[in-house]
Amino acid sequence: MRFPRTRPAPPAPVAPGGTVAEAASVRVALGGRPVLDGVSVTVRAGEVLALVGPNGAGKSTLLGVLAADLPVSAGEVRMHGRPVTGFSAPELALRRAVLPQSAVLSFPFTVEDVVRMGRAPHASSPAEDDRAVADAMAATEVTAFAARPFSALSGGERARVALARVLAQRAPLLLLDEPTAALDLRHQELVLRLCRERAGAGDAVVVVLHDLGLAAAYAHRVAVLAAGRVAADGPPAEVFAETLLSRVYDQPVEVFPHPRTDALLITPQRNL
Amino acid sequence: MTVLDRPSGTGTDAAAPPRRRRSTTGLLTAGLALALLALIPVAASLGAYPVPVGDVLASAQHRIGLGGTGLDRVAESVLWNVRFPRIVLALLVGASLGCAGALMQGVFGNPLAEPGVIGVSSGAAVGAVGAIAFDLTFLGTWTVTLFAFGSGLATSLLVYTMSRSGGRTEVVTLILTGIAVNAFGGALIGLFLFFADTAAVNQITFWQLGSLSAATWPKVLAVLPCAVLGLAVAPLYARRLDLLALGERPARHLGVDVERLRLVLVLVIALLTAAAVSVSGIIGFVGLVVPHLLRMLAGPGHRFLVPASALLGALVLLAADLTARTVAAPAELPLGVLTALLGSPFFFWLLRRTRRRQGGWA
């Protein structure tokens, strides 16, 4: 049984390449210290945008700003051309889905229950919900433990269940904060392939990554953040230059093509 | 996979586990309702002046005009002026406490939250005792209830703001806040006792132990609106409570207006706790034990948990009150003493279990 209330309608789809969300000259200060200062980022439909940068550069804060979680002290955040402050919580829930850095749960809900929570914003039929939940669980390979309590899962399994919940929400903008942090090699690839698939279907995907190799391989566009500012923004092949990365990370970095595929490989300089 | 090209619903066969759970919840609900229906005539029949169950049913039929026969004057009076108000009050208080416990655990995202443990009950008691001690009756029988609600609400808000930081409630902070609030509430009640006259002192002491023995129809009427309003509103928020289990921010991402949800639910909790405390004193642990048993049996989904906690709470309190007034007859055990005797070992076990799962409190 659902509590009857007036439900907002889902937004009209944005054509591939069109702007889904944007931050314009955004400034955010937490505890008096500016975490973002004059940051502008555009998120486009059909595109995977990777946010990279050293710890404390403001990646998660920028994601929070795009998600309309954090108020900005200067600049503006727009979604579908409208300021995000003009949307109600249920309206936002139809426009963006957010994967937090760590997934917690207060009570021992089963995996399937958790994924089904992603359907809460929609006034869809139970059959439609069932299908979205089943699809999301299959895509993240968690169907096998659908009936197990979330609290009984390992960290990597929890991360995938949380992602399945976000996918089941079927929002046109996905904001993922380090979705690969707890995952093994195979599932890291799986998650970023999923991001590409969603982008291919017309959604906009913003993903915070620490693995620059993954970002180079899967992102259409990369924004490098450093000390609360955008140090570079563009296709991986342009942005990932040795001088820029070495400066931003304060660590000598080598960038070279894969001998067989020519894909960009990025590794710290080591003298072992 | 965009919002638009979603396949329009043809049934999938992926819903086997929830369907099994749905039948569990259905069976449990039916079982609880049946047990209540069976226990009510038994509770009405037992006591210092026994009335056979058959006579109870006959008299009830007679009263609602469905045949049956009236009993002699004494039996009728015992049934309708003593036993039934007490039974109705037990059901209302039990349902309120069970439901308030389930809601509170959901709002705090913490299985150890309970009106008695975290001090909301003693907060409500301060208002009630104040009203009795200073002989305030300007609102008739509603005075005590209203004072209990006011101070219960203030305590709820106080505990809530004090025990949260960074969007979550840690078990240690919550329990320690409860200890502080309980101590302060106890001190205020002591102070009121100091200033009260002997008659009021007797009334308060008796009431502090938790009891339904002073049940009358006017008392039932005094708590009925609070309890019914709270019990009717609570299930409307069940689905949003499920989402709140993900944490505040994820719940907001799924469209829940978290601030409003919390405010409404803290109000409802204060309403239910005040309803219970104003007539029966502090009856602890019902709100803790009841939702836990149900969660173990049927999972943590609030759409079942919230109404079922009200049902099981009513059943438990009716059974406890029946025990309290018959086990040591002709004397009567204080109800609050009985629930605390049975409930505290459970709380102890729960603490141990929570600690083991978390691997410590820090």
Side-chain angles (χ1 to χ4, degrees):
Chain A
M1 192 196 77
R2 286 191 172 174
F3 179 49
R5 48 184 159 154
T6 51
R7 284 172 177 276
V14 176
T19 302
V20 174
E22 61 184 323
S25 312
V26 159
R27 184 190 153 87
V28 174
L30 298 175
R33 191 180 68 92
V35 184
L36 293 179
D37 199 358
V39 169
S40 297
V41 170
T42 307
V43 185
R44 299 193 184 94
E47 200 175 67
V48 175
L49 168 64
L51 301 180
V52 304
N55 294 143
K59 304 183 294 292
S60 296
T61 308
L62 179 55
L63 206 72
V65 164
L66 288 171
D69 284 340
L70 299 170
V72 296
S73 55
E76 192 176 45
V77 185
R78 285 185 291 269
M79 213 179 274
H80 296 268
R82 268 172 59 189
V84 286
T85 43
F87 289 108
S88 68
E91 282 173 332
L92 282 170
L94 290 168
R95 284 165 175 78
R96 54 102 177 89
V98 187
L99 180 76
Q101 227 172 65
S102 61
V104 294
L105 193 68
S106 315
F107 297 105
F109 284 97
T110 65
V111 167
E112 194 188 332
D113 286 342
V114 172
V115 178
R116 198 171 288 275
M117 289 178 189
R119 298 301 300 164
H122 294 274
S124 44
S125 69
E128 209 175 330
D129 288 348
D130 284 346
R131 182 181 286 268
V133 169
D135 285 352
M137 291 202 298
T140 50
E141 300 187 347
V142 300
T143 313
F145 32 89
R148 272 167 57 190
F150 183 82
S151 46
L153 303 180
S154 78
E157 289 167 336
R158 287 181 193 199
R160 271 148 58 206
V161 172
L163 181 65
R165 170 178 70 74
V166 169
L167 292 178
Q169 199 174 336
R170 292 198 171 164
L173 170 60
L174 286 178
L175 302 166
L176 314 176
D177 200 351
E178 296 190 30
T180 57
L183 300 185
D184 59 35
L185 201 64
R186 173 192 151 70
H187 289 107
Q188 292 191 5
E189 297 293 319
L190 174 87
V191 165
L192 282 150
R193 268 204 314 278
L194 276 172
C195 292
R196 287 289 283 221
E197 268 175 38
R198 291 295 300 252
D203 294 346
V205 183
V206 183
V207 52
V208 173
L209 287 174
H210 273 301
D211 188 325
L212 300 178
L214 280 176
Y218 286 101
H220 296 103
R221 210 155 49 84
V222 178
V224 183
L225 275 93
R229 292 169 181 279
V230 178
D233 182 351
E238 291 173 19
V239 168
F240 286 153
E242 284 181 3
T243 44
L244 175 85
L245 292 179
S246 301
R247 177 170 58 80
V248 164
Y249 283 95
D250 192 18
Q251 157 77 36
V253 170
E254 283 180 281
V255 180
F256 52 95
H258 187 278
R260 187 168 50 78
T261 61
D262 270 357
L264 278 187
L265 299 178
I266 297 140
T267 135
Q269 262 184 38
R270 299 180 181 119
N271 302 308
L272 300 172
Chain B
M1 289 254 267
T2 52
V3 184
L4 276 194
D5 65 12
R6 200 192 297 148
S8 61
T10 47
T12 58
D13 47 10
R19 206 163 291 151
R20 197 179 326 130
R21 174 161 321 151
R22 234 165 273 154
S23 68
T24 313
T25 55
L27 276 176
L28 265 172
T29 313
L32 285 173
L34 272 179
L36 260 183
L37 283 180
L39 190 60
I40 289 171
V42 172
S45 119
L46 295 178
Y49 184 94
V51 182
V53 175
D55 288 1
V56 173
L57 294 177
S59 173
Q61 271 185 339
H62 183 67
R63 288 258 169 160
I64 53 177
L66 287 174
T69 47
L71 310 176
D72 63 81
R73 213 171 49 80
V74 180
E76 280 283 314
S77 168
V78 163
L79 270 188
W80 294 96
N81 295 331
V82 181
R83 298 255 169 88
F84 274 119
R86 186 162 182 166
I87 287 169
V88 173
L89 213 56
L91 295 177
L92 281 176
V93 168
S96 299
L97 289 174
C99 188
L103 291 178
M104 193 167 256
Q105 289 159 23
V107 175
F108 281 93
N110 189 322
L112 294 173
E114 198 255 355
V117 173
I118 70 168
V120 174
S121 290
S122 66
V126 168
V129 169
I132 300 174
F134 297 112
D135 206 14
L136 302 175
T137 51
F138 55 88
L139 290 164
T141 52
W142 305 83
T143 318
V144 175
T145 313
L146 202 77
F147 270 76
F149 174 66
S151 61
L153 180 63
T155 319
S156 302
L157 292 171
L158 179 79
V159 172
Y160 187 77
T161 46
M162 296 263 297
S163 60
R164 294 180 64 78
S165 70
R168 31 185 255 113
T169 318
E170 283 168 4
V171 176
V172 193
T173 324
L174 185 66
I175 304 288
L176 291 180
T177 310
I179 291 177
V181 171
N182 272 322
F184 189 64
L188 281 183
I189 291 174
L191 204 62
F192 289 153
L193 279 173
F194 178 75
F195 286 116
D197 56 40
T198 321
V201 167
N202 283 338
Q203 199 188 342
I204 292 167
T205 323
F206 175 73
W207 176 92
Q208 254 183 313
L209 293 172
S211 173
L212 291 169
S213 58
T216 55
W217 286 119
K219 281 202 172 164
V220 170
L221 280 182
V223 296
L224 194 69
C226 273
V228 167
L229 182 65
L231 291 172
V233 169
L236 302 181
Y237 291 89
R239 193 178 165 83
R240 277 168 270 185
L241 274 178
D242 283 354
L243 300 179
L244 201 57
L246 293 167
E248 278 181 28
R249 222 179 240 193
R252 204 172 294 130
H253 292 151
L254 289 168
V256 180
D257 186 345
V258 176
E259 302 302 319
R260 223 193 82 200
L261 175 72
R262 279 201 313 232
L263 191 70
V264 170
L265 288 180
V266 167
L267 268 169
V268 171
I269 290 166
L271 206 61
L272 290 170
T273 310
V277 166
S278 63
V279 284
S280 63
I282 298 170
I283 295 176
F285 299 103
V286 173
L288 187 75
V289 176
V290 162
H292 261 279
L293 287 177
L294 290 168
R295 230 182 258 120
M296 281 187 230
L297 291 171
H302 288 91
R303 270 167 291 175
F304 170 74
L305 189 67
V306 169
S309 292
L311 265 182
L312 185 58
L315 183 67
V316 163
L317 209 70
L318 184 58
D321 185 49
L322 181 61
T323 312
R325 66 188 168 86
T326 52
V327 75
E332 188 171 301
L333 277 180
L335 181 55
V337 171
L338 186 72
T339 60
L341 269 179
L342 298 174
S344 2
F346 184 84
F347 185 55
F348 187 68
W349 171 76
L350 208 59
L351 271 177
R352 300 278 306 173
R353 199 183 67 151
T354 311
R355 187 185 187 283
R356 202 167 57 236
R357 284 209 179 151
Q358 294 188 344
W361 293 124

